[in-house]
Amino acid sequence: MALLSACSGSGDKAAPAPQSGSSIVMSADGGTLYIANGDTNTVSVVDAKDRKVVKEIAVGKEPRELALSPDGETLYVTCRYANSVEWVDIDKGAVLGSVKTGIEPYGIVESPDGKTLYVTNYRSGTVSVVDTGSRKVLKQEKAGDNPRAVAISADGAKLYVSDYLTADTSIYETASMKLLSDRALAPSPDLPDRKKSQGKPNTVEQLRLTPDGSSLWEAHLLTNTDTPVQFEEVIFPALSVVDAKTGEEEAKSRKELFKAIDVKDKFGKTIIVSNPTDIVFSPDGKKAYALMGGSEDLLVFDLARGGRAGQIIHHLPGDLPIGMVMSKDGSKLYINNASSHDLTVVALPPADEEGGQARVDGEPLKLIAKDRLDAQQRLGKTLFYSANSDDYALTGSNWMSCASCHSDGEVDRLSIMTGKGPRNIPSNVLAFDTGLFMWDGSRDEFDDYIHTVQGEMGGLGEVDPAKPLPADAKKLFDALAAYMRMPDAFPVPQSPFRTEDGQLTADGQRGKAIFEGKAQCIACHATDAMTDSANAKGADGRLTTDNKDFLHNVGTVNAADVDYAGDARGAFANKRERGFYDTPTLRGVYATAPYLHDGSAPTLEDVIKRAGDEHGHTSDLSDKEIKDLVSYLKQIQ
């Protein structure tokens, strides 16, 4: 069995090392790579030496991360939208079986003895402990609201889990799954210069333990929520360091723009990087390599010499680099590009080479035989996640992409300051099925987002927004729309609050009756999309901002809200009065906290208790009725 002999290796076994969940893993002898091809529903098996795809194996929907059995014969794959982990026979190239773990399983690591898997379930808010022999879930442990990144110590005694949106880091004792520590990463303080890194940690893409297991590095964003949104002043990349034993953050070790992340170009200007996705360490722990998925860069940190970034490979070949693995001898990095579905190889200098530089080694290797997305959809996905300004004109100076605020296409649980007042970041779920765009319904065409691109993202500055988009810009907007319209680009989240077979619970059924009856929520949250905004049409039957009949004042105006004078795209006829808002969809609403246009309601209970009779008819609901109504809201999907 040629493939398995490559996986098995011979001679002395290497000492166990810390593991992290990843979309790319390597066999014990370093000869074979396994890569999850998320949106094509396959896994590629690559001969690392010959740089050749040995086989491509079909798996469940949206494979995200992988773990490899100690004998190298079985691959474990989290299939996010199949709600399962699959067992894949590598030699046969076939799925052996699966286990349902929770809603949207994402991260996965394995115990050193190979007997146990630990799987984060993004929507269920749990970690599943799975027996690899019986393919049974042994335990479900609560792990925040949106657990994603996961790592395990070399001895398998501790499990580390990060909440994707809140940046809470939880440490568990694996023997009992007792929670040892649960702490959030600290905000970076406000600074007088708003172009310097500051803000709240969020969107944690990866956890990596240092080779000696003493520290845990986290790749995430910082969002400055109290500064008017502008591409150079709101979103910043960061790498934070946590003590792996205590869970305490090593505040002085955080790496941010203009501090430890500050590589200059030939003109002495800082090269901006964005959206960190992964970190890998050299075997001796003296260097850290950080992947920037937005700007598509690789940063090299010399930890033995002050820990600052000393080199950058600017704009790696390939789109959306999300994961990497280092060769056993430390001479190469293999990088998985999730949108272009190819593999980039970076050659690393020998450890004893003074001043040696990392460099791209050859052309990327194509990983898939056929793309499930058409060319326009693929371009749209690339644009959504890319902040590479040299390749795409939607963003300015590599600072941010659409995904910098819409984490993974949805929410970041934050509200940012805008010219209209504070605005809760909305999800893109059903964005093209819910009528007018923006909280105030001031846009009726997707091309109107030229104002967001210019004003917030720093792109397409030469375009006159009052005129039809020029062909090159129109191509970009049409591609984005084609991707975002895909049913499985940002699917409606399944609710973890329903029964095991997906039905409404008894209190959910009572809440539904209240929603449709006594509370009259259905008056506005109507139709399959659960909004009346789609009715804002003109005489020609087309959606129009001129129709204001479906904007509502529900008493939620913020003191910082202001009237909107309209914009050039709308010929300044799309004026809006403060306090009147578009009806958001309630599909998957449990996953979109905080609530209201300004994010001022932390929970759905807060929404209802503040509503009175301006927002439905809730003033005379009993505590029990409110509880039932909230139960239903949490189960809408």
Side-chain angles (χ1 to χ4, degrees):
M1 184 168 69
L3 180 60
L4 285 183
S5 66
C7 295
S8 302
S10 59
D12 295 335
K13 289 186 177 180
Q19 295 180 50
S20 290
S22 179
S23 65
I24 175 170
V25 297
M26 178 180 285
S27 62
D29 69 349
T32 309
L33 302 168
Y34 305 91
I35 300 117
N37 303 315
D39 57 36
T40 66
N41 305 330
T42 65
V43 170
S44 293
V45 182
V46 175
D47 184 308
K49 181 180 178 181
D50 293 339
R51 299 190 193 178
K52 179 181 178 182
V53 176
V54 177
K55 61 179 67 174
E56 187 180 355
I57 305 170
V59 295
K61 196 169 185 179
E62 199 72 18
R64 283 291 183 165
E65 293 192 348
L66 311 168
L68 185 65
S69 64
D71 62 9
E73 296 189 9
T74 307
L75 197 65
Y76 309 108
V77 186
T78 55
C79 298
R80 183 178 183 182
Y81 296 146
N83 296 333
S84 65
V85 173
E86 294 189 346
W87 274 242
V88 177
D89 185 305
I90 297 170
D91 190 39
K92 294 179 180 177
V95 175
L96 296 172
S98 66
V99 61
K100 297 289 184 180
T101 54
I103 301 174
E104 294 190 22
Y106 200 101
I108 184 170
V109 290
E110 185 180 23
S111 61
D113 62 10
K115 294 181 179 180
T116 310
L117 300 174
Y118 301 91
V119 180
T120 57
N121 301 299
Y122 184 65
R123 299 294 186 189
S124 298
T126 59
V127 173
S128 297
V129 182
V130 182
D131 180 82
T132 58
S134 65
R135 299 179 199 156
K136 291 184 178 179
V137 175
L138 304 177
K139 185 180 290 189
Q140 297 276 25
E141 198 68 35
K142 185 62 182 171
D145 293 328
N146 299 107
R148 181 173 291 194
V150 61
I152 192 169
S153 59
D155 61 4
K158 287 185 177 180
L159 189 75
Y160 303 85
V161 178
S162 181
D163 188 291
Y164 182 61
L165 299 179
T166 65
D168 284 6
T169 304
S170 301
I171 305 177
Y172 298 87
E173 176 187 72
T174 56
S176 62
M177 287 305 291
K178 176 184 176 182
L179 182 63
L180 302 176
S181 175
D182 182 23
R183 307 187 188 193
L185 297 178
S188 285
D190 284 346
L191 298 171
D193 185 348
R194 297 191 304 209
K195 288 180 170 55
K196 290 187 176 179
S197 186
Q198 55 194 291
K200 298 178 181 180
N202 64 298
T203 314
V204 180
E205 295 287 357
Q206 183 58 287
L207 304 178
R208 291 280 188 184
L209 285 158
T210 53
D212 63 5
S214 65
S215 296
L216 184 76
W217 284 44
E218 309 197 22
H220 63 93
L221 296 178
L222 295 169
T223 300
N224 190 7
T225 58
D226 54 9
T227 294
V229 59
Q230 197 265 359
F231 72 105
E232 295 178 308
E233 300 179 356
V234 173
I235 305 292
F236 302 91
L239 303 171
S240 292
V241 183
V242 172
D243 185 298
K245 184 177 181 180
T246 66
E248 292 185 16
E249 185 179 356
E250 301 171 11
K252 293 183 179 179
S253 298
R254 179 174 289 177
K255 303 190 183 305
E256 304 177 54
L257 269 178
F258 310 108
K259 294 180 182 179
I261 301 177
D262 192 14
V263 181
K264 311 289 188 183
D265 63 17
K266 60 185 178 181
F267 301 107
K269 184 178 179 180
T270 297
I271 299 173
I272 302 301
V273 298
S274 55
N275 293 53
T277 50
D278 203 357
I279 315 111
V280 168
F281 301 96
S282 60
D284 60 9
K286 293 182 178 180
K287 288 188 176 181
Y289 300 88
L291 196 59
M292 300 288 151
S295 53
E296 301 174 346
D297 301 323
L298 181 70
L299 286 171
V300 184
F301 295 89
D302 192 333
L303 304 185
R305 298 188 177 188
R308 296 179 65 85
Q311 185 197 352
I312 184 171
I313 299 180
H314 198 32
H315 297 334
L316 292 159
D319 298 322
L320 188 54
I322 62 166
M324 56 184 171
V325 65
M326 184 177 289
S327 62
K328 300 299 180 180
D329 63 1
S331 68
K332 289 183 176 62
L333 279 176
Y334 300 96
I335 299 172
N336 174 30
N337 301 308
S339 193
S340 52
H341 287 303
D342 49 22
L343 182 75
T344 296
V345 180
V346 173
L348 306 177
D352 58 356
E353 182 180 308
E354 188 72 23
Q357 298 284 291
R359 58 177 177 79
V360 174
D361 185 3
E363 295 296 318
L365 171 68
K366 197 67 180 175
L367 295 172
I368 61 174
K370 184 178 180 180
D371 197 347
R372 191 175 65 86
L373 279 61
D374 65 31
Q376 188 182 46
Q377 292 166 339
R378 177 59 63 196
L379 173 60
K381 180 170 185 176
T382 298
L383 292 169
F384 192 90
Y385 289 95
S386 180
N388 183 340
S389 305
D390 291 346
D391 284 355
Y392 304 107
L394 287 180
T395 185
S397 303
N398 307 299
W399 275 93
M400 62 186 293
S401 67
C402 304
S404 297
C405 293
H406 299 282
S407 300
D408 210 14
E410 299 184 30
V411 302
D412 63 2
R413 299 193 70 164
L414 297 173
S415 297
I416 58 175
M417 186 58 65
T418 75
K420 302 175 182 180
R423 290 294 182 267
N424 183 10
I425 299 294
S427 172
N428 284 298
V429 170
L430 298 178
F432 285 86
D433 299 291
T434 52
L436 298 173
F437 298 107
M438 308 295 284
W439 276 105
D440 59 5
S442 59
R443 295 177 184 171
D444 52 22
E445 294 180 348
F446 187 66
D447 290 357
D448 297 343
Y449 279 90
I450 182 64
H451 286 295
T452 297
V453 169
Q454 292 181 330
E456 299 177 16
M457 298 175 65
L460 295 175
E462 74 287 352
V463 172
D464 183 347
K467 297 178 180 179
L469 295 182
D472 54 350
K474 180 64 174 171
K475 177 183 177 181
L476 302 181
F477 277 81
D478 287 350
L480 269 174
Y483 167 62
M484 294 172 67
R485 286 179 183 275
M486 291 178 60
D488 53 359
F490 312 121
V492 176
Q494 293 183 38
S495 173
F497 300 99
R498 290 190 168 220
T499 63
E500 283 193 16
D501 61 353
Q503 303 302 309
L504 291 177
T505 61
D507 51 355
Q509 291 172 0
R510 292 193 299 270
K512 185 174 187 288
I514 295 168
F515 180 93
E516 296 176 351
K518 185 175 183 179
Q520 280 298 289
C521 308
I522 200 170
C524 297
H525 294 287
T527 73
D528 286 345
M530 304 202 80
T531 171
D532 59 358
S533 181
N535 295 324
K537 297 177 180 179
D540 60 358
R542 298 179 62 183
L543 207 64
T544 176
T545 57
D546 294 339
N547 187 339
K548 302 178 184 179
D549 293 343
F550 300 95
L551 300 178
H552 306 282
N553 185 342
V554 293
T556 59
V557 65
N558 187 294
D561 290 328
V562 297
D563 292 343
Y564 182 52
D567 51 53
R569 187 78 190 165
F572 297 98
N574 55 336
K575 295 177 173 62
R576 290 295 184 260
E577 181 181 348
R578 66 191 293 267
F580 285 82
Y581 303 109
D582 190 52
T583 308
T585 179
L586 295 182
R587 299 280 299 276
V589 69
Y590 82 89
T592 62
Y595 301 102
L596 305 180
H597 77 282
D598 56 0
S600 59
T603 68
L604 290 166
E605 288 86 349
D606 292 315
V607 174
I608 294 169
K609 289 178 180 179
R610 284 178 53 180
D613 287 333
E614 291 179 291
H615 197 167
H617 297 284
T618 62
S619 61
D620 60 348
L621 293 181
S622 68
D623 288 346
K624 177 65 166 59
E625 288 173 320
I626 291 174
K627 184 177 179 182
D628 287 343
L629 178 55
V630 169
S631 180
Y632 170 62
L633 293 173
K634 288 181 177 179
Q635 295 177 50
I636 296 172
Q637 62 183 34

